[in-house]
Amino acid sequence: MEIKDKNVFITGSTRGIGKALAHAFAKAGANIILNGRSQISDEQVAEITAHGVKCIGVSGDIADFDNAASMLAEAEANLGPVHILINNAGITDDKLLIRMKAADFEEVIKINLTGTFNMTQHALKKMMKLREGVIINLASVSGLMGNLGQANYAASKAGVVGFTKSVAREAAARGITVNAIAPGFIETDMTEVLSDKVKEQTVEQIPLKRYGNVEEVAQTALFLAQNQYITGQVINVDGGLVMNG
Ligand code: NAI
């Protein structure tokens, strides 16, 4: 898809990977809908409009089905239809399974997986009518290989992978592509909380021997949005941590 002048809704784009996605797509000429659970500030919007594109902030909770619908409606009322949806918002709540409360499990599934369903269903209905659209979901290598202390998170991200492939099959006839990006360890607030010991141990396991940066994830999303013949795929951006056969 030609990115210029398209409207891109990026969930959880107040910081981290989402913020980098917003800048990368704005630099490519797209209008941006910033989203987070709390109010989006004028400064956050101004940072994006500095690229010479339109930008609005739409705050709300993706885990709430009706709120997801109203956020997409608000975006459309201001900028027109959403051409590209990036389901980026996600949380972790790490602990060993034997200490995990049912609520800890459910909360992570509700935001990472159900939130992705909520946003995708509402956006896809419109895209199907327009017969164009791109959906990119943020999965994780945890969802592919599992990770100690992340049974809830890994389950949610494995769910996102299955969801992506199923929706890709359903949407393909209308020319809509649906893909996932599975980042490995990326330098963000989410990984900042890891202890130095854990960081050292994880770097040891990464063939490229470093954490990735948010721009490397954003470049991958731009590539996927521009390519019309890739769908139902999971692209790992992980320094070689997971090598699929
Ligand atoms: P982050 O924690 O820095 O940012 C997450 C964003 O999501 C924030 O803007 C937050 O406000 C928003 N958010 C959380 N719950 C929300 C909700 N219910 N409704 C709306 N917005 C909500 O996260 P980071 O590191 O930038 O990660 C982005 C995505 O990439 C996530 O899906 C994460 O699981 C995935 N990922 C990140 C990795 C990393 O190493 N940082 C590795 C693998 C995957």
Side-chain angles (χ1 to χ4, degrees):
M1 178 185 274
E2 168 65 50
I3 303 294
K4 196 170 174 331
D5 297 327
K6 293 292 190 303
N7 299 323
V8 190
F9 196 122
I10 306 165
T11 66
S13 40
T14 56
R15 63 183 207 183
I17 293 171
K19 185 175 175 182
L21 287 164
H23 279 279
F25 278 81
K27 271 188 206 156
N31 303 316
I32 306 295
I33 300 105
L34 291 176
N35 159 258
R37 267 186 294 195
S38 44
Q39 192 67 31
I40 312 293
S41 69
D42 291 344
E43 289 74 26
Q44 285 169 319
V45 170
E47 272 185 34
I48 300 299
T49 53
H51 294 293
V53 297
K54 293 179 199 155
C55 175
I56 59 164
V58 173
S59 57
D61 184 359
I62 59 160
D64 182 303
F65 186 75
D66 293 337
N67 200 176
S70 63
M71 289 193 291
L72 282 157
E74 188 180 338
E76 184 166 347
N78 282 280
L79 294 176
V82 170
H83 305 101
I84 301 171
L85 169 67
I86 309 184
N87 286 306
N88 166 78
I91 62 160
T92 51
D93 188 1
D94 298 355
K95 50 198 65 139
L96 294 174
L97 183 73
I98 53 169
R99 301 208 185 104
M100 195 176 283
K101 296 194 171 63
D104 305 329
F105 186 82
E106 282 158 12
E107 181 67 4
V108 172
I109 297 286
K110 199 173 163 200
I111 293 178
N112 298 1
L113 182 56
T114 310
T116 298
F117 161 78
N118 292 340
M119 293 298 295
T120 303
Q121 195 192 60
H122 295 305
L124 186 62
K125 283 182 182 165
K126 191 80 193 183
M127 289 177 183
M128 285 186 133
K129 275 191 198 136
L130 294 174
R131 293 189 163 264
E132 67 167 345
V134 168
I135 298 172
I136 299 170
N137 299 324
L138 269 290
S140 165
V141 292
S142 291
L144 305 177
M145 60 191 267
N147 198 19
L148 203 131
Q150 290 198 315
N152 50 1
Y153 182 75
S156 74
K157 295 300 188 177
V160 166
V161 169
F163 177 81
T164 299
K165 293 179 182 180
S166 301
V167 180
R169 288 183 187 279
E170 293 181 19
R174 307 283 172 111
I176 298 159
T177 64
V178 188
N179 290 289
I181 296 174
F185 290 92
I186 307 296
E187 285 169 14
T188 64
D189 293 341
M190 192 180 262
T191 50
E192 186 53 39
V193 294
L194 300 174
S195 69
D196 288 345
K197 193 171 162 231
V198 170
K199 282 185 190 160
E200 270 169 38
Q201 285 168 349
T202 47
V203 165
E204 245 343 277
Q205 294 162 26
I206 302 170
L208 287 175
K209 295 285 176 253
R210 66 171 175 87
Y211 274 29
N213 58 60
V214 291
E215 286 78 21
E216 288 164 327
V217 179
Q219 280 166 12
T220 312
L222 259 184
F223 162 73
L224 285 172
Q226 283 162 331
N227 193 304
Q228 305 258 253
Y229 202 57
I230 298 178
T231 198
Q233 304 302 312
V234 182
I235 311 288
N236 296 359
V237 183
D238 65 356
L241 186 60
V242 177
M243 296 197 187
N244 295 317

